[in-house]
Amino acid sequence: MPKQMLRQPKPPRPTNAEFQILRVLWQRGPSTVRDVHDALDRTKPVGYTTVLKLLQIMIEKSLVRRDASTRSHVYAATASEAATRRQMVTDLAKRAFGGSTVRLVLHALAATPATAPELDQIRKLLDEKKKGEP
Amino acid sequence: MPKQMLRQPKPPRPTNAEFQILRVLWQRGPSTVRDVHDALDRTKPVGYTTVLKLLQIMIEKSLVRRDASTRSHVYAATASEAATRRQMVTDLAKRAFGGSTVRLVLHALAATPATAPELDQIRKLLDEKKKGEP
DNA sequence: TCTCATGTACGAAGCTGTTCGTAGCTACAC
DNA sequence: GTGTAGCTACGAACAGCTTCGTACATGAGA
C-alpha cells in the first residue's frame, strides 16, 4: 500500500516559488528546466538545481507533468492559468471572507482606486452575468 | 545607520493561525489569552500555550498590542479588520494579478456564481465610486 | 573511443510557521 | 502565612518551503 494518498483531482494551490515557475510555463508552453531557469534567472538569480528540485516537487503535487522521453525532460503546467488564479481567489475568499467571493469583490472594489474605463469594464461584465443567469 | 530597518508602518500580512486569532480579537474586542483560547478551542482544539505563543509572536510583528498592567495581559489587534483584509487582497493582486486589484475583481467575478441582488450591490458600489471620483 | 558539457536525482541546511511541554512567578483563598 | 490555580516566558520539536551542493548518468563531438 503506497503511503501517498490517492491522487486528488485538484492540485493544491501553488506556493510562491511554484507560482513563479507556473507563470513561465504558461507563457512559454512546455519547457525544459533550462528554459525555465533562464527565464527566471533574468528577473532574479536562482540556481539551476533549485528550479529542477522545485519542478520535481511540483510533479509530486501534480502541479506539472513531464515528458521524460528526451534527455532534457519537458515540463508543462497541469492546470490553466485561469483555473489556478480562480483557485487562489477562492482560497482567499475562504480564508478571509467566509467563502464569499462576492464579499471579496466588494471589499476589493471599495479599497482600490479604479479608473472610469476599468469601472465600465466591470459593469459590462456584470451585465453579461445578469443576462447569462436570469 | 542601524542595521535594522526602521519599523514599517504596515504590519506584515498575518499567517493563517494569526488571522484566526485576529478574528477573535475583532469580534470580542480586547481580550485575554484565555478569552482567545476559549473562543478558538470551541471550533478546533488548541493548546493554551499555543495561543499565548502566537500572541507573543504577533506582538513582535506588531499585529497586536497588549496591556500588561494586569496579571492577565489584554491583547488588541493593531489593525482594523477592513485594513487587514484590504492588505490581503492587495497581496493576492500583487502575487497573481500583476498588482492590479481590478484584474483580480474581474477574474473573481467571472469565476463565481452570484445572485442578482449581489450583482446589484456591486453595481451600486460602482456607481458610488464613479460619483466619488469623476 | 574518450571526454566533458549537460542532464537528473537526492540529501541537507536554513528559514518560517505551528504546536506544545515545562519552568517559574504571583495573586488570592483559606 | 501558605498552597495552589492560573499566568507568562521560553525552548524545542516538527513540518513545509526554498535553496543549493554533490553525485552520478549520458549523449555528442573530437
Side-chain angles (χ1 to χ4, degrees):
Chain A
M1 189 63 168
K3 183 183 169 188
Q4 191 72 16
M5 205 74 57
L6 283 179
R7 177 81 50 210
Q8 307 271 0
K10 297 260 181 188
R13 74 188 160 89
T15 65
N16 249 334
E18 289 165 352
F19 188 69
Q20 299 308 314
I21 288 182
L22 286 177
R23 294 214 308 197
V24 174
L25 293 180
W26 287 324
Q27 188 186 326
R28 296 191 82 265
S31 307
T32 64
V33 178
R34 180 139 313 272
D35 293 333
V36 174
H37 170 259
D38 288 354
L40 290 178
D41 199 49
R42 247 175 276 128
T43 309
K44 177 180 176 299
V46 62
Y48 177 89
T49 56
T50 300
V51 177
L52 172 63
K53 179 70 161 185
L54 251 328
L55 279 166
Q56 286 168 346
I57 291 172
M58 291 168 78
I59 285 178
E60 306 231 319
K61 296 184 181 178
S62 295
L63 288 169
V64 300
R65 29 185 160 62
R66 76 172 158 185
D67 174 2
S69 66
T70 58
R71 179 154 139 78
S72 298
H73 300 175
V74 176
Y75 294 79
T78 53
S80 70
E81 185 171 13
T84 302
R85 281 183 167 150
R86 192 183 318 139
Q87 180 65 37
M88 292 170 82
V89 169
T90 302
D91 273 0
L92 179 61
K94 189 173 297 178
R95 190 194 317 293
F97 296 94
S100 162
T101 308
V102 171
R103 281 220 296 141
L104 190 162
V105 166
L106 285 171
H107 271 260
L109 272 185
T112 199
T115 66
E118 285 172 337
L119 294 180
D120 286 344
Q121 197 179 354
I122 296 172
R123 203 182 308 272
K124 202 167 150 192
L125 180 59
L126 288 179
D127 290 341
E128 284 169 15
K129 278 189 83 70
K130 194 166 203 171
K131 216 174 297 175
E133 303 165 7
Chain B
M1 191 64 166
K3 182 184 170 189
Q4 190 71 20
M5 208 72 59
L6 285 178
R7 170 86 47 212
Q8 308 272 359
K10 299 261 181 191
R13 73 190 161 87
T15 66
N16 247 336
E18 288 165 353
F19 189 69
Q20 299 308 313
I21 288 180
L22 286 177
R23 294 213 308 197
V24 174
L25 292 179
W26 287 323
Q27 189 186 327
R28 296 192 80 264
S31 308
T32 64
V33 177
R34 179 140 312 273
D35 292 333
V36 175
H37 170 260
D38 288 354
L40 291 179
D41 200 48
R42 245 176 276 130
T43 310
K44 176 181 176 299
V46 62
Y48 177 88
T49 56
T50 301
V51 177
L52 172 63
K53 179 70 162 183
L54 251 328
L55 280 166
Q56 286 168 347
I57 291 172
M58 292 168 78
I59 284 179
E60 306 231 319
K61 298 184 180 177
S62 296
L63 287 169
V64 299
R65 29 184 161 64
R66 76 172 158 185
D67 173 1
S69 66
T70 57
R71 180 155 139 77
S72 298
H73 300 175
V74 176
Y75 294 79
T78 53
S80 70
E81 185 169 14
T84 301
R85 281 180 167 152
R86 192 183 318 139
Q87 180 65 36
M88 292 169 81
V89 169
T90 303
D91 273 2
L92 179 60
K94 189 173 296 178
R95 190 192 318 291
F97 296 94
S100 163
T101 309
V102 172
R103 282 219 296 140
L104 190 163
V105 166
L106 284 171
H107 271 261
L109 271 184
T112 198
T115 66
E118 285 171 337
L119 294 179
D120 286 343
Q121 196 179 355
I122 295 172
R123 202 181 309 272
K124 202 167 149 194
L125 181 59
L126 288 178
D127 291 341
E128 284 169 15
K129 278 189 83 69
K130 194 166 204 174
K131 214 174 300 174
E133 303 166 5

